[in-house]
Amino acid sequence: MPSFLTGLLTTACSLTFSRNRKHINRLMVTLVVATTVDPASIGPASALLSMPGWHPGPFLQDMASFVNKEVRLLKHNYSIIREDHLDKRWEAATSEVVDEVIFLSRHTAASNRPALTIHPIGVPHLREDEVPPAGGKPGWAAPPNARIGPWLRLLKCIAESHNLTPEFEVTLEATHHGPVTDSPTMFVEIGSTEEYWKRQDAAQAIALLVWKGLGLDGGIPIGDWHRNNGKNKILLGVGGGHYVPRHMDIVLKHDVWVGHLLSGYSLPMEDNGEAKAGGTWREAIKVAYDVTKAAFPGGEILAHLDQKSFKSWQKNAILGFLKEMNINVGKPQDFH
């Protein structure tokens, strides 16, 4: 076992989530996707493949794959945000059912600050005639991977134990970009410049997140919705900036699950009066809620508003729409 694994599995990192596969005729698998054109993607993938248990799997067209228990690592040479429908393409080629997709990628930011990030994907606010600037399709959002919240807490623990913090910020990001998938999906990213995309210690931390998080270390997988131990509240983030600090504060303090996180830019609103506020914000909320509900069957979804990010007419319009949709609103104390 690589030296960076030793000493990591401390009680500080022990989280009590696991995965319980449904027993069906076709094998359910986790698809981890990396691209060779991105050092922050292939770096963690290479570190993951250096751990025990991997063997070559089938090719998907010209894409090599590697197999370890119920995990399939797919490696391609294309843009990570534009190679659509990899879950369905894998299913068609192998007859295995893709239960979830985890993309490894770089993160860019104007601040250039080093960061380790996790987020759901989609562009539910775009109109049909708009061209998504970074993959996906207008009005679409993938179901959020149930592991997002538990893995954020695990990633923070790993980063701290490897002395990556405070140099690296561990953070959620709001829902954004592609590629198109139908399976529960999340991105795990290293940011924010080439210097950090190539950092081996960051790559090893992400590899360990996947290794431990999926139970490849022989432990209990982390972030299994089907074993939620009665903790069934899901945060649907509405409003705030790209790094959703007020939503993330709740996620880090409580064992709460994470649905879509709609920042202000995914809620375009035009001031036509509260009852007639224009823009695609309603569509964005409805799509985000519907796929979050599908990702967490039987769960209690609570919309959490970043109150300070809205003008009063915006907040009133959103609250009215949430009530109309029968979507409950939660305050921080409601997520305990």
Side-chain angles (χ1 to χ4, degrees), residues 8 12-13 15 115-119 147-165 168-172 186-190 201-210 212-213 222 252:
L8 187 77
C13 289
L15 299 176
L116 305 173
T117 80
I118 298 177
H119 69 86
R147 301 185 194 276
I148 291 172
W151 278 31
L152 176 74
R153 296 185 285 269
L154 176 61
L155 180 56
K156 191 171 178 64
C157 179
I158 291 172
E160 288 171 352
S161 67
H162 280 77
N163 299 314
L164 287 170
T165 54
F168 282 81
E169 180 182 13
V170 178
T171 182
L172 290 172
M186 66 177 174
F187 264 62
V188 181
E189 303 183 358
I190 299 172
D201 51 354
Q204 289 170 349
I206 297 301
L208 185 57
L209 173 71
V210 177
K212 179 172 172 58
I222 292 165
L252 290 175

Side-chain angles (χ1 to χ4, degrees), residues 1 40 48-49 60 72 76 91 108 120 209 211 220-221 253 268 286 294 334 336:
M1 183 173 289
L48 184 61
L49 289 173
L60 179 61
R72 308 290 181 261
H76 65 64
E91 291 179 1
T108 57
L209 173 71
W211 176 256
I220 298 172
K253 287 180 178 177
K286 185 179 186 309
D334 296 324
H336 289 195

Side-chain angles (χ1 to χ4, degrees), residues 36-248:
T36 59
V37 302
D38 175 2
S41 180
I42 196 60
S46 298
L48 184 61
L49 289 173
S50 74
M51 299 178 188
W54 293 98
H55 59 87
F59 272 78
L60 179 61
Q61 296 160 327
D62 61 345
M63 305 176 194
S65 76
F66 302 86
V67 173
N68 194 338
K69 299 181 182 177
E70 294 179 354
V71 180
R72 308 290 181 261
L73 192 151
L74 186 63
K75 191 161 59 171
H76 65 64
N77 306 316
Y78 311 105
S79 166
I80 199 82
I81 59 173
R82 297 189 185 278
E83 197 63 24
D84 291 337
H85 303 297
L86 285 173
D87 50 347
K88 296 307 178 191
R89 289 157 65 185
W90 181 266
E91 291 179 1
T94 66
S95 295
E96 296 177 338
V97 177
V98 175
D99 198 32
E100 60 181 330
V101 188
I102 300 164
F103 289 94
L104 307 177
S105 177
R106 68 188 178 195
H107 170 67
T108 57
S111 68
N112 292 335
R113 179 172 180 180
L116 305 173
T117 80
I118 298 177
H119 69 86
I121 64 171
V123 283
H125 62 292
L126 293 185
R127 299 181 188 276
E128 284 189 14
D129 60 348
E130 293 182 277
V131 177
K137 63 182 179 181
W140 156 89
N145 192 312
R147 301 185 194 276
I148 291 172
W151 278 31
L152 176 74
R153 296 185 285 269
L154 176 61
L155 180 56
K156 191 171 178 64
C157 179
I158 291 172
E160 288 171 352
S161 67
H162 280 77
N163 299 314
L164 287 170
T165 54
E167 181 185 14
F168 282 81
E169 180 182 13
V170 178
T171 182
L172 290 172
E173 293 182 75
T175 298
H176 65 304
H177 69 58
V180 176
T181 64
D182 296 320
S183 307
T185 297
M186 66 177 174
F187 264 62
V188 181
E189 303 183 358
I190 299 172
S192 296
T193 65
E194 189 165 5
E195 173 189 354
Y196 298 103
W197 299 335
K198 293 181 176 180
R199 280 274 291 266
Q200 281 303 302
D201 51 354
Q204 289 170 349
I206 297 301
L208 185 57
L209 173 71
V210 177
W211 176 256
K212 179 172 172 58
L214 294 179
L216 293 175
D217 63 343
I220 298 172
I222 292 165
D224 178 11
W225 168 247
H226 300 291
R227 293 189 180 180
N228 58 35
N229 296 323
K231 295 179 179 178
N232 67 339
K233 293 181 179 178
I234 304 105
L235 183 148
L236 176 68
V238 181
H242 182 71
Y243 297 100
V244 296
R246 291 188 176 89
H247 306 316
M248 186 170 66

